[in-house]
């Protein structure tokens, strides 16, 4: 259960008035509005003008009188790796100013000085693979002060070009690269927007993704009321990795906030640090560029659904009984700690001990489920709360224990940094304190579970926090990884732990966040798929979704809830993913659930299909390619590769989710070859767009006609 972004939704009667303004087009300025583009610059190689062979790369520095004046270009063989004509590097002095509304961080870029005119003064080859350039910036914008020194080091290592830019006098450093006219750009984490990011300006900071994210009028309502509407590029899980249709990949190592500006027909990568260390890599195809090592998944997660059920022992038993015959591998009981109710809906007590009032026979319940081969998952996050108002009290007061021992993130004015969770305050455990880290690891390890847990949050560290060790500006993006590493340190070998926030170095499984219970591509079901496709090519290969979505809104004008059709359409494509996990949502009683009479038979059948795919899924999960793959990864250059509404599940199955209500079919762009529809065995000629009928539970799914393994699986699925 996620709360920060939902804090914006206990809005009361003001929603109607604000929604009416939105409906007639009254604008509310978003704090997420893109910053202005930075001006073009220039590159003067000076004495370095010429061509340099560095192992597998050739560096061309065009001088004023040469064939390419002012051009900087690096090639591997004949393949361009990095080039620019409007300046290669830039730097500036200034700051990012942050505002925070319940974890919805927004920034304002303030540059006092900007240097864009780079002149090289020294060049030195170091061995056969390294080139070191040293120079100064001249004619600074907005400043007539000193000309700061810069250093640019290029190192050739096989198919990788290592780059280091250092400007000691700067607060922000920029790398600029040209883009070919048709060179799409992908990745940068779980970006819930179009797969091609060109034309966008993305601030790479882990934060709440917002509610609505451009869907109107909900975005303007939430933004006006609480500053938490988000934008198409706000995300829990940014990653400092991008890949392009030109078969180039760029990664960088700095954890401070970065900005990838893809407007103006080029890439401007700015990092709020005095240096950038990065790597350009080229490959023969997309698959070569998007491989990412990960920690895998326990085999049992692929054998059935993870069903979210809560409400106490009797309710969990009742809900599972309604799913008789379903393939269920685990029950996720998030309210094991007890439940509180707020204006937003059902919430949890973050006291991290078993609520015996709600689950008096927990051990018996767990044993019953275990005898049926069903594991029990729980929930935790890196916050603790004062339990003073909890009915029945607690046996161990973790909040005051952490407070007395100095284990909480501090506020600049003193005391713990208490963050408003809409109805209660919470404090973060300081993961930079080794003693606090070990203490909280013991808390996590003591959770009464048999299968793992949801490891929520990770994106909420304030930029002005006081830490035991380190600068929060360095650690804000790093916090999700610290949280992930702590959970991994106490995770059992066969436990499933899944996270939402991420940054470079993440190796765990992730879910795609907290979508609205709606169909749309802004913040609904279609957006979940977009986030998974982008995350997959930039370091998050094992992503799944909250099947059915999470956030429901009861207020007039912006109301959102899920009906049976949305729930089942969402579940049916999650069958063709690494994990099939449901969520009751923030308002369970107002939304369709999988155990409802109108949904249960179809959901039971979906779980059986999921189970039938278990051997195939195990191979997909074991690979280091994304489990859910944009068609560009498998069939680049085809019509299918230009579509964001279909994907490959592993190498064999092409899946086309039904993303609109009330339809009984959809168009599918088939790649070249012969393709077989899983549900009927009917064969289709490829390299064309076909329209396919789709009953509930049967989204268009194809396999190549020559794929014997997939054909055998399809026959078994048809026999269910």
């Amino acid at each position: 259960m996620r709360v920060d972004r939902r804090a914006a939704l206990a809005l009361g009667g003001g929603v109607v008035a604000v929604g009416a303004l939105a409906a007639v087009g009254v604008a509310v300025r978003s704090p997420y509005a893109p910053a202005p583009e930075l001006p073009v610059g220039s590159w003067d190689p000076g004495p370095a003008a010429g061509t340099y062979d560095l192992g597998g790369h050739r560096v061309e520095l065009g001088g004023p009188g040469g064939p390419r004046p002012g051009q900087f270009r690096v090639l591997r063989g004949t393949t361009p790796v990095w080039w620019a004509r409007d300046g290669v590097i830039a730097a500036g002095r200034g700051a990012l100013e942050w505002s925070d509304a319940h974890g919805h961080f927004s920034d304002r870029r303030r540059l006092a000085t900007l240097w864009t005119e780079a002149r090289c003064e020294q060049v030195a080859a170091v061995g056969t693979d390294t080139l070191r350039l040293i120079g100064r910036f001249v004619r600074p914008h907005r400043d007539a002060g000193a000309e700061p020194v810069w250093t640019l080091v290029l190192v050739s290592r096989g198919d990788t070009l290592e780059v280091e830019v250092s400007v000691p006098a700067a607060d922000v450093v920029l790398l600029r690269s040209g883009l070919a006219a048709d060179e799409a750009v992908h990745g940068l984490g779980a970006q819930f927007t179009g797969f091609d990011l060109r034309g966008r300006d993305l601030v790479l900071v882990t934060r709440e993704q917002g509610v609505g994210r451009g869907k109107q009028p909900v975005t303007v309502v939430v933004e006006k009321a609480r500053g938490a509407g988000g934008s198409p590029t706000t995300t829990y899980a940014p990653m400092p990795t991008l890949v392009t249709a030109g078969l180039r990949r760029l990664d960088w190592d700095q954890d401070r906030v970065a900005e990838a500006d893809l407007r103006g027909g080029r890439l401007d990568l700015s990092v709020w640090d005095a240096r950038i260390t990065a790597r350009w890599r080229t490959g023969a195809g997309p698959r070569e560029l998007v491989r990412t090592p990960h920690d895998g998944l326990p085999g049992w997660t692929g054998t059935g659904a993870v069903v979210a059920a809560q409400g106490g022992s009797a309710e969990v038993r009742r809900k599972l009984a309604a799913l008789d015959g379903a393939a269920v591998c685990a029950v996720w009981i998030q309210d094991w700690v007890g439940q509180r109710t707020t204006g937003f809906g059902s919430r949890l007590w973050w006291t991290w001990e078993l609520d015996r009032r709600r689950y008096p026979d927990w051990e018996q319940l767990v044993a019953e489920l275990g005898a049926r081969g069903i594991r029990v998952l729980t929930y935790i996050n890196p916050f603790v709360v004062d339990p003073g108002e909890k009915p029945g009290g607690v046996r161990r007061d973790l909040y005051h224990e952490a407070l007395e021992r100095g284990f909480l993130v501090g506020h600049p004015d003193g005391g713990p940094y208490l963050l408003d969770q809409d109805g209660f305050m919470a404090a973060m455990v300081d993961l930079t304190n080794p003693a606090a880290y070990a203490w909280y690891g013991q808390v996590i390890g003591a959770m009464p579970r048999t299968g793992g847990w949801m490891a929520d949050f990770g994106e909420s560290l304030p930029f002005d926090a006081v830490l035991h060790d380190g600068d929060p500006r360095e650690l804000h993006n790093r916090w999700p990884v610290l949280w992930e590493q702590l959970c991994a340190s106490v995770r059992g070998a066969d436990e499933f732990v899944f996270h939402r926030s991420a940054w470079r170095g993440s190796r765990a499984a992730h879910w795609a966040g907290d979508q609205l219970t709606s169909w749309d591509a802004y913040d609904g079901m279609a957006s979940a798929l977009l986030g998974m496709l982008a995350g997959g090519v930039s370091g998050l290969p094992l992503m799944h979704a909250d099947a059915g979505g999470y956030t429901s809104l009861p207020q007039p004008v912006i109301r959102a809830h899920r009906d049976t059709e949305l729930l089942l359409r969402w579940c049916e494509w999650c069958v063709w993913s690494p994990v099939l996990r449901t969520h009751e949502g923030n308002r369970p009683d107002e939304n369709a659930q999988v155990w409802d009479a109108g949904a249960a038979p179809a959901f039971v059948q979906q779980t059986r299909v999921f189970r039938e795919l278990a051997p195939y899924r195990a191979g997909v999960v074991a690979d280091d390619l994304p489990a859910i793959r944009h068609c560009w990864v498998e069939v680049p250059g085809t019509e299918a590769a230009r579509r964001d509404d279909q994907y490959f599940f592993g190498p064999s199955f092409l899946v086309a989710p039904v993303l609109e209500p009330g339809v009984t079919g959809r168009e599918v762009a088939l790649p070249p070859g012969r393709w077989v529809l899983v549900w009927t065995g009917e064969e289709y000629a490829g390299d064309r767009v076909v329209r396919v009928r789709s009953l509930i539970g049967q989204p268009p799914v194809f396999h190549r006609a020559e794929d014997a393994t997939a054909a055998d699986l399809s026959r078994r699925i048809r026999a269910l």
Side-chain angles (χ1 to χ4, degrees):
M1 174 178 169
R2 182 63 179 119
V3 195
D4 260 357
R5 72 184 292 242
R6 316 303 191 258
L9 302 179
L11 304 177
V15 168
V16 177
V18 177
L21 292 176
V24 297
V26 176
V28 176
R29 185 184 183 279
S30 171
Y32 308 102
E37 289 184 60
L38 294 177
V40 298
S42 66
W43 164 256
D44 180 359
T51 300
Y52 303 83
D53 289 321
L54 304 180
H57 293 85
R58 186 171 77 254
V59 181
E60 298 178 349
L61 307 179
R68 298 185 180 89
Q71 177 163 301
F72 173 100
R73 190 165 72 153
V74 182
L75 301 97
R76 183 168 186 260
T78 59
T79 302
V81 177
W82 178 23
W83 71 93
R85 293 190 62 91
D86 298 324
V88 182
I89 58 175
R93 295 298 305 272
L96 285 177
E97 297 178 357
W98 291 98
S99 61
D100 174 13
H102 308 284
H104 303 263
F105 294 96
S106 57
D107 68 284
R108 183 179 295 275
R109 183 178 72 193
R110 295 195 181 277
L111 286 175
T113 304
L114 178 63
W115 301 288
T116 62
E117 316 293 321
R119 180 184 63 208
C120 184
E121 297 178 344
Q122 301 177 44
V123 60
V126 182
T128 59
D129 60 4
T130 302
L131 187 67
R132 181 185 300 273
L133 306 171
I134 300 174
R136 293 181 181 274
F137 289 108
V138 298
R139 296 197 300 270
H141 289 258
R142 309 175 200 166
D143 195 315
E147 299 180 343
V149 174
W150 55 261
T151 302
L152 171 61
V153 180
L154 308 176
V155 182
S156 174
R157 298 195 189 281
D159 62 357
T160 300
L161 177 73
E162 297 178 357
V163 179
E164 180 177 350
V165 181
S166 176
V167 188
D171 296 312
V172 59
V173 175
L174 175 144
L175 285 182
R176 176 165 287 166
S177 176
L179 294 170
D182 58 350
E183 188 173 15
V185 179
H186 314 302
L188 294 174
Q191 297 293 338
F192 301 91
T193 187
F195 190 60
D196 183 3
L197 299 173
R198 285 193 62 162
R200 294 200 176 275
D201 179 48
L202 302 95
V203 177
L204 281 297
V205 59
T206 179
R207 54 183 162 181
E208 289 280 356
Q209 74 165 29
V211 180
R213 308 181 67 256
K215 177 182 173 67
Q216 300 301 355
V218 60
T219 305
V220 72
V221 169
V222 176
E223 192 60 52
K224 181 67 173 178
R226 295 297 290 270
S231 81
T233 59
T234 48
T235 178
Y236 314 101
M239 295 291 279
T241 296
L242 62 84
V243 292
T244 81
L247 301 181
R248 300 189 290 160
R249 171 172 171 153
L250 176 66
D251 306 89
W252 66 95
D253 299 327
Q254 280 60 47
D255 293 325
R256 293 203 180 201
V257 173
E259 179 182 353
D261 190 345
L262 294 163
R263 300 169 294 181
R266 62 178 184 267
L267 163 65
D268 281 356
L269 172 64
S270 305
V271 179
W272 284 85
D273 203 322
R275 70 172 188 149
I276 300 176
T277 55
R279 290 164 302 285
W280 285 102
R281 185 156 66 89
T282 55
R287 289 167 61 97
E288 186 178 331
L289 294 176
V290 302
R291 293 186 178 276
T292 304
H294 56 78
D295 290 341
L297 295 174
W300 58 265
T301 60
T303 63
V306 177
V307 175
Q310 59 182 342
S313 301
E315 276 294 281
V316 170
R317 291 185 175 101
R318 180 188 70 81
K319 292 168 181 177
L320 287 179
L323 296 175
D324 183 46
V328 177
C329 67
V331 177
W332 174 44
I333 306 177
Q334 65 168 0
D335 71 339
W336 69 282
V337 292
Q339 189 177 87
R340 59 167 79 183
T341 301
T342 71
F344 170 65
S346 300
R347 306 280 290 279
L348 304 178
W349 277 98
W350 299 351
T351 53
W352 315 132
E353 69 173 28
L354 180 64
D355 188 323
R356 288 288 180 185
R357 293 161 60 98
R358 201 168 188 81
Y359 293 97
D361 61 343
W362 177 268
E363 290 80 8
Q364 180 181 343
L365 174 64
V366 171
E368 289 175 10
L369 295 171
R372 297 167 56 187
I374 299 174
R375 300 173 188 246
V376 173
L377 279 64
T378 55
Y379 169 99
I380 197 168
N381 64 50
F383 285 96
V384 290
V385 298
D386 187 334
E389 298 181 359
K390 187 177 190 297
V394 294
R395 295 174 294 281
R396 183 182 179 188
D397 184 342
L398 295 174
Y399 171 77
H400 285 99
E401 185 178 327
L403 180 63
E404 292 168 6
R405 299 178 68 176
F407 287 172
L408 300 177
V409 170
H411 192 279
D413 294 335
Y417 210 127
L418 296 176
L419 298 173
D420 183 2
Q421 305 298 320
D422 182 33
F424 62 95
M425 307 297 285
M428 299 179 70
V429 176
D430 188 347
L431 302 182
T432 69
N433 183 332
Y437 188 93
W439 173 80
Y440 208 55
Q442 293 171 354
V443 171
I444 298 170
M447 284 193 299
R449 81 284 176 181
T450 59
W453 62 91
M454 172 188 275
D456 206 356
F457 284 75
E459 69 283 340
S460 300
L461 181 70
F463 283 92
D464 60 346
V466 177
L467 301 173
H468 174 82
D469 183 27
D471 184 335
R473 296 172 300 174
E474 292 274 1
L475 288 165
H476 176 88
N477 278 348
R478 198 74 195 153
W479 210 258
V481 183
L482 296 179
W483 175 228
E484 181 181 311
Q485 291 170 343
L486 173 58
C487 290
S489 72
V490 295
R491 182 189 67 220
D494 205 29
E495 288 193 304
F496 173 43
V497 178
F498 49 107
H499 296 253
R500 191 188 62 179
S501 56
W503 184 244
R504 67 179 184 94
S506 289
R507 296 181 58 94
H510 291 79
W511 89 95
D514 302 337
Q515 280 72 46
L516 285 172
T517 50
S518 62
W519 295 80
D520 60 89
Y522 292 103
D523 196 16
M525 175 171 64
S527 76
L529 176 58
L530 292 172
M532 294 160 73
L533 294 174
V537 299
S538 51
L540 301 172
L542 295 180
M543 296 192 72
H544 70 279
D546 280 340
Y550 176 73
T551 305
S552 295
L553 308 175
Q555 297 90 346
V557 181
I558 62 171
R559 185 170 184 265
H561 80 290
R562 72 177 175 225
D563 58 16
T564 300
E565 182 189 12
L566 175 60
L567 174 62
L568 292 177
R569 285 298 194 190
W570 206 319
C571 288
E572 71 185 18
W573 66 266
C574 288
V575 166
W576 304 84
S577 79
V579 176
L580 172 59
R581 181 181 58 81
T582 65
H583 203 310
E584 290 192 21
N586 64 309
R587 294 178 174 271
D589 295 341
E590 301 171 18
N591 288 275
Q593 304 294 344
V594 294
W595 46 78
D596 293 344
F603 180 71
V604 168
Q605 181 67 8
Q606 290 171 350
T607 68
R608 292 171 176 168
V609 175
F610 183 86
R611 179 177 57 192
E612 201 64 47
L613 289 166
Y616 173 78
R617 181 178 292 104
V620 172
V621 168
D623 200 353
D624 56 4
L625 286 166
I628 287 186
R629 305 170 190 174
H630 194 280
C631 292
W632 172 74
V633 175
E634 289 290 329
V635 288
T638 66
E639 175 61 29
R642 290 186 280 274
R643 302 285 292 264
D644 292 352
D645 60 351
Q646 57 187 57
Y647 66 91
F648 274 88
F649 175 45
S652 296
F653 292 102
L654 174 64
V655 184
V658 175
L659 301 174
E660 299 177 57
V663 302
T664 56
R666 59 155 290 174
E667 290 186 343
V668 184
L670 294 176
R674 302 292 298 178
W675 295 86
V676 176
L677 183 63
V678 166
W679 311 109
T680 65
E682 182 181 0
E683 190 168 317
Y684 290 73
D687 203 16
R688 64 191 180 111
V689 176
V690 299
R691 185 162 187 84
V692 181
R693 186 165 180 253
S694 174
L695 303 175
I696 293 287
Q698 296 183 355
V701 180
F702 292 85
H703 66 80
R704 293 180 175 88
E706 66 272 18
D707 189 330
T709 299
D712 180 62
L713 273 172
S714 297
R715 284 190 290 270
R716 285 190 273 136
I717 288 170
R718 289 195 291 274
L720 289 175

